[in-house]
Amino acid sequence: MAYVEVKNMYKRYKMGQSIIVANNGIDFSLEKGEFVVIVGPSGAGKSTVLNILGGMDTCDEGQILVDGKNIATANAYELTKYRRYDIGFVFQFYNLIPNLTAKENVELASQIVKNALDAEKVMDMVGLAHRLNNFPAQLSGGEQQRVAIARALAKKPKLLLCDEPTGALDYKTGKAILQLLQDTCLKTGTTVVVITHNQAIAPIAHRVIEINDAKVRNMHLNQNPKSIQEIEW
Amino acid sequence: MKIALLKDIYREIRYSLPRFLSIMLMISLGVFVYSGLKGSAPLMRNTMNDFTTKTNMADLKIETILGLDRKDMSLILSGQDISTAEFHYSVDLNTADSDLLIQLQSLPKTISIPYLTAGRLPENANEILLDHSLQAKGYQIGQVISFKKEISKFRFRTDEQENTLKRYKFQITGFCYHPEFTNPNLKREASDGLGKLDGFAFISEKNFNSDDYRFARLKLNQADGLTSESPIYKEITSNYKKNLRTVLIGRPKLRLRDLKKEAMDQIRDNEKKLTDAQRQIKDARNQLDLANRELTDGEDQLDRQKKNLANQIQKAESDIQKAENQLNLAKSNLDQGLAAYHLEKSEWENGKKQYSEGHLALINGKTQLKQEQDKLQKNLDQLEIGISQIEKALMELDAAEKQLFSALSALGITPDAFKLKVSTAVKNNQTSLIEAMGDAAVNYAAIIQNRQKLLLQKKELLRNQQKIQVSLKMIADELVKLEPKEMDLKKIKSTLDLAEIALRNAKADLDKGQAEYKLGIEKLELSRRDLTSQVNSAWEKINQAETELTKARQKYEDGKDKFEEEEKEANDKIADGKAKIADAKKILKALKEPAYKIQTRDDLSQYYLYYDSAQRMEFLSNIFPVFFFLIAMLVCLSTMTRMAEEHRGQIGTLKALGYNNWDISKKYFYYGLFSSVIGGIIGVCLGQPILSRAVYSAYNDIFIFQKPFFKMFWQYNIISVLIGIACTALVAFIVVNKHLHFNAAALMRPKAPKNGTKIALERIIFIWKRMSFLQKVTARNMFRYKARMLMAILGISGCTSLVFLGFALRDSVSHLLPIQFEQLTHYQYMVIYDEDLSESAAADFRTYLKKTSAIRQSSTIYLESADWNKKGLSTQTIQMIIPQNPQDFLELQTLRSPENTKKTFTLPKEGAILTDKLAKLAQVKVGDTLEVIDEDNRKIQILIAAISENYLGHYLYMSKNYYTRLFGENPAWNAKAILLNSDQDINEDTFISELLDFDVVLSVAETNFASASQSLESLDIVVGIMILLSSLLAFVVLYNLSNINISERMRELSTIKVLGFFPQELTAYVYRETFSLSIIGIGLGYILGILLHKMILEVIVPDAFQLYAKIFPMTYLIAAIMTLIFSVIVMIFVHFRLKRIDMVEALKSYE
């Protein structure tokens, strides 16, 4: 039994008269502690998969087993709990609370979880120990994303889901972020799933899932994932 | 292009319907409230003005209790500027059946005409037009209404007591309203101390007998076209009133002088009558004495004559008497003899009778016996015959028997055996056996039977024969007995004959004697006759004398009767005269100068009160709707701003595409325009028709017109809609244009979210450290959007303050009466009286007050009213109360300090106690003097020794010494404050009418100020409406602000949701801010509310009244709770909205 198993998942949207199928029978599974990269062109359905996996959306058909629990049949309350305790999400546009300092943004997450990591410690983990009391407006993009990652990690989630985390960052900063994610995955053993449309990143992952046109076209494992430093694009 | 724009606007509306509707709602509410409330006072005024115009109400009314005489009339008409004038009669009467007090006036022709509500005006003298309110009491058109003749305490008792009206029965032709009676619930005082009027009526002028008119109504040229409450009009009429007062200034004195002259004349007349009467008595007395003397003389003479005659008669009579005695003796002898004779005669007759009887009896007896003898003999003979016959028959039977037996023996039958057989059978009655034995036996049986019969018969006859023979012997014996008797009878007869002869002789003697007596009698008669004639002549003489005497007596009697009559007459006249003199003297004493009451429209308190209420209502309508509108506009402003913000990107795109500014902002302009116009139209359609009418009906208790003459006041509608449009369309336009100053690219970039900064509170490390994380978050969020925070606080505090105000006002109104009447004024009635009107009635009145169980306590006071003037305010009337016994009075009225209710006052030696409302109006404090104008128009300076708490009316309390010193005269006690016994079940109307029955009682006033409480009740309703609308506003404000709040922070909230906040936590995250703002808003609202309350209390209440200023803790509580409830309700809505947030949509990148 894989850590995460997605079986036969369908997600359809009704737009007036037409039905758009975002996920047309998605199947894949993930192992614990894997660094997973999901690649595919725009509009392929990647974000949809991540959103559903992250408990932000529900699928119309299929099973999603996370650590033995099928979240496809979970109700709103159970999904909230799932998001609260089991998931850490990182967005493309950081989505930090502008009114709170970096540390408080992390505390926002750690307040709602028992046995959370200490906010300062996590900030230190992401290399922002010196930026605890700055507001997001005072941080650069990379720093903001780090805070977002810290926020996600503070909860000690089962899955760390990242939707195009480097999309709004420049080359160097993006690389740094990816490094951070990779390190986190290896050091803490958190299962990390990253969505990107940049194929070049694929080698750093343990598992690469290719989604195209609402279906999983290809999934392969990397026996020896490369370090991000070795990748150039 | 146009169609695309319209489509766009339509879609925009559809997709943001809540926003569109909320703006529309806000505008319609704002317009509704503004237009509706602003239009209320004009509506009230308009209705009254219409009514005034339609009835051509008088500008001035002049009335005097004595009536206007010729001189008065000419003085009044001499004024310049009079356009029309009418003079009228009036009288107050009770109805016969229901005892309602009605004021009957002569029908107005053109000034202050009645306003018909049913039927028609009276055309004939016997018709009447009634007050509309009487219709509810059961009177109908066509019914005949009759009135009782008037009674008045003030009328002079003239000899010719003429009735005021020619008739007292009228037929009802219709019902009406009248401008002098505009408040159906407030009764006016009748003029003659009769009590309160229950209604009015109009009849033809011809019905009144009086020469003097009761009042005059004037219309002024200058006042034409002006409305009652315009200041110019008020000035014109009050000036005219002043002039008129000056013109009539000498009249009261003159009238009083005339009246006094009339009274003096009457006194003189009556005094003359008194002297006349006295003289009459004297004359009559003289006559009587004369007659008496004559009579006495005559009587004496007569006595003497009578005596003489008596003597003479006596003598003659004694002579006659002697003769008579003799005769009588003779008579008695005769009588005796006659009696004896009769006795004997009757004896003799008895004897004769006996003899006859005996004789007859004897003869009869004898005859009878002889007859009997004959009869018996005859019978005997017959019997013998019979016996011989029977014997013959027997012999025949024997023969037959013999024959039979021979026959039988011939047949060989032994006769003996046969005889035996047959006789035995016969004895045993065996007829059949006999028949069986044959004919011979039958024959023999017959023979036996016959023989037996005949033998029996013979026996019988022989027995009879014996009897007869015995009888015959007896008779013979009897006859023999009779013989000696016959001898006796013969002897008797002869005796009787002898006696008869003797009697005859006696009779002859008697007759003789009788004849002699007769002669004697005749002699006596003669002598008697002589005497009689003598006596008669003497009597005649005496009679003559007596007749004369009788005449004289008659004369005397006549004289006496006459005297008595005249004495009675004279006494009556004297009594009458005395009474009239007493009356006249009293009335003379009680006469005061008659007041000429000159009233402008303002002076009619009912009429004035209505305008006054409208004015105060207007003040409220200047505050509340403005406030309301302001808040509503604030919300619209923020909503439109938000809208423009949200469309930032779109605007930028359009700009990038090359649209010009106007084209871009058109959409938002029209969006705002549509919502505000539709909202405005709704508000206009509902505002004045509903709200103005509602406010109007709150006041219709004090006005006869239950429904207004409705008119739309377009100025308010237009203003409010324009403001609404300005706040939406114009604002949208401006905000969009503000955006359009930036270039397209900048617009298309997402607006940088407002930077978070440290807030001031953070620096207070002491507090900041102690706050929980989420509390810190809330604090930061609150202060981040300062503008919105302020708006929220403002909005909430505004609404809270309005709700607070509403409840505080209600409290002020509702507590007023209990405080005034439970804590301050304990008496319920003030009875005005004048002891001089009747001593006896005054004494009765005093006794009544002491004895009646209905009254618990009464206190005598002197009551006088004084006026206080100040420019800009209407004249205030102050009641001055001077108690006879201060201690007693203070039990009925508590005087205490308004600031410290435990501090009570007693009457000071120097100075007076003034009630606090007037002290405020006059701006006087303790130690200052107040200048008032008393009833005689003098200016008096009164020292204010203390200021007491009071809510209804103005009062000055002072000791009698101070009064005397100040006014220069002693107080003449003229009123009683009365406290009723609460454990008696007293019918108030009966009590009042009992009091009014006393001639000395002029009026009875209740202290509960019916009109004030009515006007306050109306206020209550208006305030209720206010509270309702404020609540609605509060709700909408909170809802709107919360929604804007959420819309602006959608991304942030979605992130938190993604983080795994439960729905409650998410709602709490937002709600904590709202709640904190609400608390601050409530606090501010309290302050605002208290200020508003204070301000309104000063203005809303008529000058003579105050509302209770204290605000109760409950008000604070309710205002807070209501606000919090709304915020909770809003939170619930917010909760559901947050729950429905689609995280994915909200967090979608800007791509």
Side-chain angles (χ1 to χ4, degrees):
Chain A
M1 247 283 279
Y3 194 57
V4 175
E5 274 184 40
V6 176
K7 288 185 188 160
N8 227 1
M9 188 181 71
Y10 288 86
K11 176 74 185 172
R12 301 178 192 95
Y13 290 101
K14 194 156 190 247
M15 295 289 184
Q17 300 288 26
S18 50
I19 301 179
I20 298 171
V21 185
N23 291 141
N24 202 357
I26 301 284
D27 283 292
F28 64 86
S29 50
L30 311 172
E31 297 296 337
K32 193 165 173 164
E34 273 185 353
F35 191 96
V36 182
V37 168
I38 300 180
V39 288
S42 298
K46 316 184 292 290
S47 296
T48 314
V49 170
L50 208 71
N51 288 338
I52 293 171
L53 192 58
M56 290 203 299
D57 204 350
T58 49
C59 62
D60 296 320
E61 268 180 64
Q63 286 186 320
I64 304 161
L65 299 158
V66 176
D67 200 9
K69 218 161 54 174
N70 183 6
I71 61 164
T73 56
N75 61 26
Y77 177 67
E78 284 162 352
L79 274 183
T80 309
K81 264 175 69 181
Y82 173 68
R83 286 200 305 276
R84 198 182 181 97
Y85 300 120
D86 298 340
I87 296 291
F89 215 98
V90 178
F91 299 91
Q92 181 178 4
F93 287 99
Y94 338 125
N95 286 330
L96 296 176
I97 312 290
N99 221 16
L100 303 173
T101 60
K103 179 176 164 211
E104 286 162 358
N105 263 291
V106 177
E107 280 178 332
L108 194 64
S110 60
Q111 288 275 317
I112 57 173
V113 173
K114 330 177 217 345
N115 295 332
L117 293 176
D118 177 47
E120 284 189 35
K121 267 223 189 90
V122 183
M123 285 292 280
D124 194 32
M125 266 168 68
V126 300
L128 286 177
H130 56 292
R131 296 299 234 163
L132 291 173
N133 294 322
N134 291 119
F135 289 94
Q138 298 162 327
L139 302 170
S140 69
E143 286 167 333
Q144 286 186 54
Q145 194 63 294
R146 284 174 196 261
V147 177
I149 293 167
R151 180 178 69 187
L153 288 175
K155 289 201 280 179
K156 293 207 307 211
K158 288 178 181 163
L159 293 175
L160 180 64
L161 307 176
C162 313
D163 193 344
E164 312 244 17
T166 54
L169 303 167
D170 61 80
Y171 175 71
K172 233 171 132 192
T173 324
K175 258 187 159 181
I177 294 297
L178 286 170
Q179 182 72 58
L180 177 58
L181 289 170
Q182 201 177 32
D183 290 340
T184 309
C185 171
L186 293 170
K187 277 200 205 118
T188 62
T190 317
T191 314
V192 178
V193 180
V194 176
I195 288 183
T196 180
H197 52 255
N198 186 359
Q199 296 268 10
I201 301 178
I204 70 171
H206 291 114
R207 186 190 295 263
V208 178
I209 301 171
E210 283 172 32
I211 294 183
N212 198 343
D213 201 14
K215 273 181 147 42
V216 174
R217 301 293 166 186
N218 200 355
M219 184 166 77
H220 66 265
L221 298 163
N222 287 336
Q223 299 293 14
N224 298 314
K226 294 222 179 93
S227 160
I228 192 71
Q229 307 298 350
E230 299 164 30
I231 313 275
E232 301 280 332
W233 63 93
Chain B
M1 236 268 274
K2 263 222 168 134
I3 299 181
L5 178 67
L6 280 171
K7 259 203 215 161
D8 194 12
I9 295 170
Y10 169 68
R11 288 223 187 91
E12 184 64 48
I13 293 173
R14 247 188 81 187
Y15 291 127
S16 64
L17 202 57
R19 173 186 290 149
F20 185 80
L21 285 178
S22 77
I23 294 175
M24 207 177 78
L25 184 65
M26 284 270 83
I27 302 279
S28 61
L29 254 181
V31 169
F32 176 80
V33 168
Y34 183 83
S35 172
L37 283 183
K38 290 284 287 179
S40 304
L43 187 66
M44 284 170 74
R45 270 199 287 252
N46 185 52
T47 306
M48 185 58 110
N49 284 341
D50 254 13
F51 180 61
T52 307
T53 314
K54 281 198 175 99
T55 55
N56 196 25
M57 186 178 179
D59 296 318
L60 285 147
K61 183 178 175 194
I62 304 140
E63 185 174 353
T64 184
I65 205 166
L66 287 180
L68 302 164
D69 65 8
R70 284 236 169 224
K71 183 81 176 126
D72 290 326
M73 278 174 72
S74 69
L75 281 174
I76 289 170
L77 289 171
S78 72
Q80 300 160 320
D81 196 46
I82 296 180
S83 104
T84 40
E86 274 184 29
F87 291 88
H88 288 289
Y89 302 101
S90 149
V91 67
D92 299 330
L93 297 175
N94 287 94
T95 55
D97 51 357
S98 42
D99 216 23
L100 299 167
L101 188 60
I102 311 283
Q103 182 168 96
L104 285 94
Q105 297 181 6
S106 49
L107 188 65
K109 299 190 190 72
T110 56
I111 305 178
S112 296
I113 55 177
Y115 181 92
L116 278 174
T117 57
R120 60 165 174 85
L121 295 175
E123 281 155 21
N124 299 323
N126 65 343
E127 290 176 338
I128 188 169
L129 180 67
L130 286 187
D131 178 0
H132 177 89
S133 69
L134 293 175
Q135 200 171 26
K137 298 232 162 84
Y139 290 99
Q140 295 166 332
I141 296 176
Q143 198 179 343
V144 168
I145 183 172
S146 34
F147 296 94
K148 293 190 245 188
K149 295 214 172 87
E150 63 279 7
I151 35 119
S152 166
K153 300 183 176 138
F154 293 101
R155 287 262 176 269
F156 257 151
R157 258 191 266 178
T158 54
D159 288 319
E160 332 79 51
Q161 187 103 338
E162 194 183 43
N163 291 331
T164 316
L165 293 180
K166 288 204 177 82
R167 59 168 59 74
Y168 288 82
K169 278 199 173 74
F170 301 91
Q171 190 178 41
I172 301 170
T173 59
F175 295 93
C176 66
Y177 290 136
H178 193 261
E180 284 166 17
F181 296 88
T182 51
N183 187 343
N185 292 324
L186 190 65
K187 296 184 181 178
R188 278 177 37 183
E189 278 285 340
S191 21
D192 293 346
L194 295 169
K196 288 224 192 303
L197 293 174
D198 293 303
F200 60 89
F202 296 106
I203 52 179
S204 158
E205 197 177 50
K206 298 189 197 126
N207 283 303
F208 289 89
N209 277 328
S210 167
D211 280 333
D212 291 343
Y213 289 103
R214 184 56 176 263
F215 60 82
R217 290 196 182 110
L218 304 178
K219 287 224 58 118
L220 304 175
N221 280 323
Q222 271 186 309
D224 194 28
L226 299 172
T227 51
S228 308
E229 11 91 55
S230 84
I232 308 172
Y233 176 85
K234 286 191 192 187
E235 213 185 306
I236 291 173
T237 50
S238 76
N239 280 340
Y240 197 87
K241 176 175 167 182
K242 268 196 219 123
N243 289 340
L244 204 55
R245 206 171 253 164
T246 326
V247 165
L248 291 170
I249 200 161
R251 295 299 298 152
K253 251 205 189 78
L254 274 165
R255 295 298 290 280
L256 182 67
R257 197 192 63 188
D258 286 345
L259 260 181
K260 285 205 169 154
K261 186 162 165 304
E262 216 182 303
M264 295 294 336
D265 285 347
Q266 199 179 61
I267 290 174
R268 225 173 300 136
D269 277 346
N270 286 308
E271 276 177 351
K272 184 166 177 295
K273 281 198 186 118
L274 221 77
T275 338
D276 280 347
Q278 279 171 340
R279 204 174 345 114
Q280 270 182 11
I281 290 174
K282 214 162 151 208
D283 283 348
R285 184 136 285 172
N286 287 341
Q287 262 188 9
L288 210 66
D289 285 343
L290 200 71
N292 199 25
R293 248 178 287 136
E294 279 182 21
L295 203 67
T296 332
D297 284 346
E299 276 174 353
D300 287 344
Q301 207 180 47
L302 195 68
D303 278 345
R304 257 178 282 130
Q305 279 185 356
K306 271 189 178 162
K307 266 201 196 103
N308 281 340
L309 190 62
N311 287 338
Q312 278 177 10
I313 289 171
Q314 212 173 28
K315 192 158 167 285
E317 287 215 319
S318 74
D319 285 344
I320 287 173
Q321 195 62 41
K322 271 191 205 133
E324 198 175 5
N325 288 343
Q326 274 180 1
L327 275 172
N328 283 341
L329 197 68
K331 179 104 200 285
S332 76
N333 286 339
L334 268 174
D335 285 339
Q336 271 178 9
L338 201 63
Y341 166 77
H342 279 304
L343 198 70
E344 279 190 24
K345 182 156 191 206
S346 68
E347 267 182 25
W348 178 86
E349 276 175 350
N350 271 348
K352 180 123 204 225
K353 197 162 144 207
Q354 271 177 9
Y355 164 77
S356 306
E357 276 173 3
H359 184 72
L360 196 64
L362 186 76
I363 304 240
N364 282 346
K366 235 179 164 177
T367 327
Q368 220 175 34
L369 282 169
K370 281 250 162 72
Q371 273 177 354
E372 193 69 23
Q373 211 172 41
D374 287 342
K375 199 163 86 175
L376 282 171
Q377 195 61 47
K378 260 196 204 126
N379 286 345
L380 201 66
D381 291 339
Q382 281 214 337
L383 268 172
E384 281 178 356
I385 298 170
I387 288 171
S388 60
Q389 271 182 346
I390 285 174
E391 284 190 336
K392 205 169 133 188
L394 276 169
M395 275 191 322
E396 282 174 16
L397 275 178
D398 282 339
E401 196 187 12
K402 243 181 210 164
Q403 242 183 359
L404 191 62
F405 279 143
S406 54
L408 282 175
S409 44
L411 290 171
I413 299 168
T414 35
D416 289 330
F418 181 81
K419 237 199 236 173
L420 193 65
K421 249 197 208 166
V422 178
S423 53
T424 327
V426 166
K427 215 197 276 178
N428 294 337
N429 241 337
Q430 289 162 313
T431 21
S432 42
L433 189 61
I434 298 172
E435 279 171 9
M437 287 183 358
D439 283 336
V442 171
N443 288 345
Y444 186 61
I447 289 172
I448 298 176
Q449 276 171 343
N450 286 343
R451 187 180 281 142
Q452 273 175 348
K453 255 193 227 157
L454 285 169
L455 281 172
L456 278 165
Q457 275 178 359
K458 187 178 173 184
K459 221 196 238 168
E460 191 67 34
L461 286 177
L462 282 174
R463 228 200 328 242
N464 285 346
Q465 192 186 43
Q466 223 178 358
K467 263 198 208 153
I468 288 172
Q469 274 169 348
V470 166
S471 301
L472 277 170
K473 191 166 183 271
M474 272 170 55
I475 287 172
D477 284 339
E478 286 296 300
L479 280 167
V480 167
K481 267 193 204 160
L482 279 177
E483 270 160 25
K485 272 203 181 133
E486 213 167 346
M487 297 294 336
D488 284 336
L489 276 169
K490 276 199 179 98
K491 270 190 206 144
I492 288 171
K493 181 150 199 253
S494 55
T495 325
L496 278 171
D497 288 337
L498 281 169
E500 197 180 0
I501 294 167
L503 275 172
R504 230 174 261 150
N505 288 339
K507 182 87 194 292
D509 285 336
L510 280 171
D511 285 341
K512 209 163 68 180
Q514 192 91 335
E516 279 175 15
Y517 175 73
K518 246 195 186 137
L519 248 107
I521 291 280
E522 272 173 30
K523 258 198 214 152
L524 194 69
E525 248 337 284
L526 227 73
S527 50
R528 257 227 173 104
R529 233 174 279 152
D530 280 344
L531 182 68
T532 316
S533 62
Q534 278 177 17
V535 166
N536 278 345
S537 60
W539 271 122
E540 247 180 67
K541 282 195 196 130
I542 285 182
N543 277 342
Q544 265 176 22
E546 199 152 58
T547 346
E548 279 173 24
L549 201 67
T550 317
K551 268 199 201 135
R553 176 152 286 223
Q554 194 62 26
K555 232 191 188 171
Y556 177 73
E557 285 303 313
D558 282 349
K560 189 159 179 234
D561 282 346
K562 209 172 173 201
F563 176 70
E564 279 177 5
E565 235 180 77
E566 282 176 5
E567 189 178 42
K568 189 167 170 290
E569 245 182 67
N571 279 338
D572 282 349
K573 276 195 187 152
I574 289 172
D576 198 23
K578 278 206 180 123
K580 282 196 179 129
I581 289 172
D583 270 354
K585 283 203 176 130
K586 271 197 206 104
I587 291 178
L588 208 63
K589 221 167 95 181
L591 272 185
K592 295 188 177 52
E593 287 177 15
Y596 279 75
K597 211 159 63 165
I598 305 173
Q599 290 176 311
T600 59
R601 287 184 190 169
D602 268 357
D603 294 322
L604 288 168
S605 64
Q606 292 182 8
Y607 187 80
Y608 169 71
L609 185 68
Y610 191 75
Y611 281 109
D612 194 52
S613 304
Q615 196 183 359
R616 293 173 195 285
M617 175 62 227
E618 192 154 51
F619 182 77
L620 246 187
S621 77
N622 280 331
I623 297 183
F624 181 63
V626 169
F627 226 104
F628 202 91
F629 219 173
L630 226 68
I631 296 170
M633 290 317 107
L634 218 62
V635 172
C636 288
L637 236 146
S638 60
T639 310
M640 287 313 292
T641 311
R642 172 79 209 139
M643 182 181 176
E645 281 298 322
E646 280 177 13
H647 289 208
R648 219 180 118 86
Q650 263 188 51
I651 294 168
T653 312
L654 286 172
K655 186 152 185 182
L657 281 173
Y659 282 88
N660 67 32
N661 285 354
W662 167 233
D663 283 338
I664 296 170
S665 47
K666 249 201 294 216
K667 168 175 154 188
Y668 304 96
F669 180 77
Y670 281 125
Y671 183 93
L673 190 69
F674 285 161
S675 70
S676 55
V677 165
I678 296 173
I681 290 173
I682 295 173
V684 164
C685 289
L686 296 179
Q688 283 181 20
I690 292 180
L691 194 56
S692 301
R693 276 213 179 95
V695 171
Y696 179 88
S697 62
Y699 282 95
N700 69 0
D701 254 6
I702 62 170
F703 195 40
I704 39 178
F705 286 98
Q706 297 294 296
K707 293 199 167 45
F709 295 163
F710 188 75
K711 193 174 124 168
M712 235 357 176
F713 295 94
W714 286 101
Q715 62 269 45
Y716 304 114
N717 290 336
I718 292 171
I719 291 176
S720 52
V721 173
L722 283 177
I723 295 177
I725 293 174
C727 288
T728 47
L730 204 61
V731 159
F733 185 78
I734 292 172
V735 171
V736 169
N737 270 302
K738 218 168 72 167
H739 283 308
L740 289 169
H741 284 146
F742 299 102
N743 58 40
L747 287 172
M748 287 192 286
R749 273 198 292 271
K751 184 172 184 185
K754 186 120 192 254
N755 298 334
T757 43
K758 279 196 179 201
I759 56 174
L761 195 60
E762 277 188 72
R763 295 184 213 280
I764 309 172
I765 299 171
F766 183 68
I767 302 174
W768 192 251
K769 254 168 69 171
R770 282 196 168 54
M771 285 167 68
S772 81
F773 175 71
L774 289 168
Q775 283 172 340
K776 288 183 192 168
V777 174
T778 307
R780 285 260 188 74
N781 279 333
M782 267 169 60
F783 287 97
R784 181 179 174 198
Y785 297 102
K786 291 198 183 63
R788 211 164 357 101
M789 178 180 86
L790 274 169
M791 195 165 71
I793 293 175
L794 224 70
I796 292 169
S797 66
C799 300
T800 307
S801 70
L802 288 175
V803 171
F804 179 89
L805 177 67
F807 280 104
L809 275 180
R810 282 195 78 221
D811 274 344
S812 296
V813 168
S814 68
H815 280 92
L816 170 65
L817 291 178
I819 296 237
Q820 177 75 43
F821 292 108
E822 283 163 29
Q823 297 184 20
L824 298 173
T825 308
H826 307 293
Y827 57 92
Q828 292 109 336
Y829 293 96
M830 187 73 90
V831 180
I832 317 277
Y833 65 92
D834 186 346
E835 282 191 330
D836 291 335
L837 283 179
S838 161
E839 258 176 53
S840 56
D844 289 340
F845 179 57
R846 262 176 267 132
T847 324
Y848 173 78
L849 288 178
K850 266 192 228 131
K851 296 256 174 70
T852 179
S853 59
I855 296 177
R856 187 153 119 203
Q857 202 179 345
S858 70
S859 178
T860 312
I861 62 171
Y862 173 63
L863 188 68
E864 184 182 321
S865 55
D867 284 342
W868 175 79
N869 286 313
K870 183 173 164 175
K871 195 156 175 102
L873 289 173
S874 56
T875 305
Q876 302 294 314
T877 308
I878 309 173
Q879 298 291 346
M880 298 193 293
I881 294 185
I882 296 98
Q884 189 183 39
N885 183 335
Q887 253 174 326
D888 267 0
F889 180 72
L890 285 175
E891 283 174 27
L892 290 181
Q893 170 79 42
T894 307
L895 300 172
R896 68 183 190 197
S897 155
E899 292 94 34
N900 178 2
T901 57
K902 296 225 194 329
K903 182 168 161 199
T904 54
F905 302 123
T906 52
L907 286 184
K909 285 205 183 71
E910 187 75 24
I913 301 179
L914 178 64
T915 51
D916 54 351
K917 181 67 191 277
L918 191 66
K920 283 198 192 106
L921 287 176
Q923 293 173 326
V924 292
K925 50 190 195 302
V926 174
D928 291 345
T929 52
L930 181 75
E931 183 183 279
V932 303
I933 302 172
D934 75 350
E935 287 177 345
D936 298 320
N937 252 326
R938 293 179 293 175
K939 292 205 173 100
I940 312 275
Q941 308 285 341
I942 302 185
L943 173 68
I944 306 300
I947 295 175
S948 71
E949 183 186 352
N950 197 62
Y951 297 97
L952 299 175
H954 305 304
Y955 293 90
L956 272 167
Y957 300 94
M958 62 184 90
S959 66
K960 52 181 179 264
N961 289 335
Y962 186 66
Y963 176 82
T964 314
R965 243 181 299 139
L966 213 55
F967 286 79
E969 54 191 22
N970 282 325
W973 313 112
N974 64 352
K976 298 229 187 257
I978 292 185
L979 169 66
L980 292 180
N981 221 335
S982 52
D983 39 300
Q984 296 270 324
D985 195 16
I986 300 163
N987 180 324
E988 308 220 327
D989 287 334
T990 328
F991 179 68
I992 293 176
S993 66
E994 260 177 41
L995 284 173
L996 287 168
D997 275 344
F998 291 101
D999 280 343
V1000 288
V1001 171
L1002 299 178
S1003 71
V1004 181
E1006 290 175 78
T1007 56
N1008 66 2
F1009 289 92
S1011 68
S1013 60
Q1014 274 185 337
S1015 149
L1016 294 177
E1017 270 164 33
S1018 311
L1019 193 63
D1020 209 33
I1021 298 172
V1022 171
V1023 163
I1025 295 174
M1026 239 175 69
I1027 293 174
L1028 197 66
L1029 292 171
S1030 308
S1031 313
L1032 198 59
L1033 185 65
F1035 182 75
V1036 177
V1037 165
L1038 282 169
Y1039 182 74
N1040 246 309
L1041 291 179
S1042 297
N1043 270 331
I1044 293 171
N1045 202 1
I1046 292 170
S1047 304
E1048 279 200 12
R1049 294 156 62 189
M1050 193 54 94
R1051 188 164 275 270
E1052 176 186 330
L1053 295 169
S1054 306
T1055 307
I1056 292 177
K1057 198 163 178 185
V1058 170
L1059 278 178
F1061 272 51
F1062 287 114
Q1064 312 84 274
E1065 290 170 330
L1066 190 61
T1067 309
Y1069 183 77
V1070 174
Y1071 187 66
R1072 257 188 288 271
E1073 292 165 42
T1074 318
F1075 184 75
S1076 315
L1077 289 173
S1078 301
I1079 298 291
I1080 298 172
I1082 288 172
L1084 195 62
Y1086 282 160
I1087 298 171
L1088 261 169
I1090 293 171
L1091 284 171
L1092 279 173
H1093 181 248
K1094 215 161 172 225
M1095 186 167 67
I1096 284 181
L1097 278 194
E1098 305 275 313
V1099 184
I1100 197 90
V1101 191
D1103 291 328
F1105 307 123
Q1106 286 194 111
L1107 287 178
Y1108 189 53
K1110 185 158 161 219
I1111 301 172
F1112 290 89
M1114 195 51 124
T1115 309
Y1116 290 91
L1117 202 64
I1118 292 179
I1121 286 176
M1122 279 182 80
T1123 309
L1124 288 174
I1125 287 177
F1126 292 132
S1127 100
V1128 165
I1129 294 173
V1130 165
M1131 181 196 80
I1132 292 172
F1133 277 101
V1134 159
H1135 177 76
F1136 284 108
R1137 183 157 173 214
L1138 288 175
K1139 243 179 139 172
R1140 280 187 281 111
I1141 288 178
D1142 186 354
M1143 293 165 278
V1144 177
E1145 274 304 312
L1147 291 169
K1148 261 208 167 104
S1149 50
Y1150 286 107
E1151 56 206 3

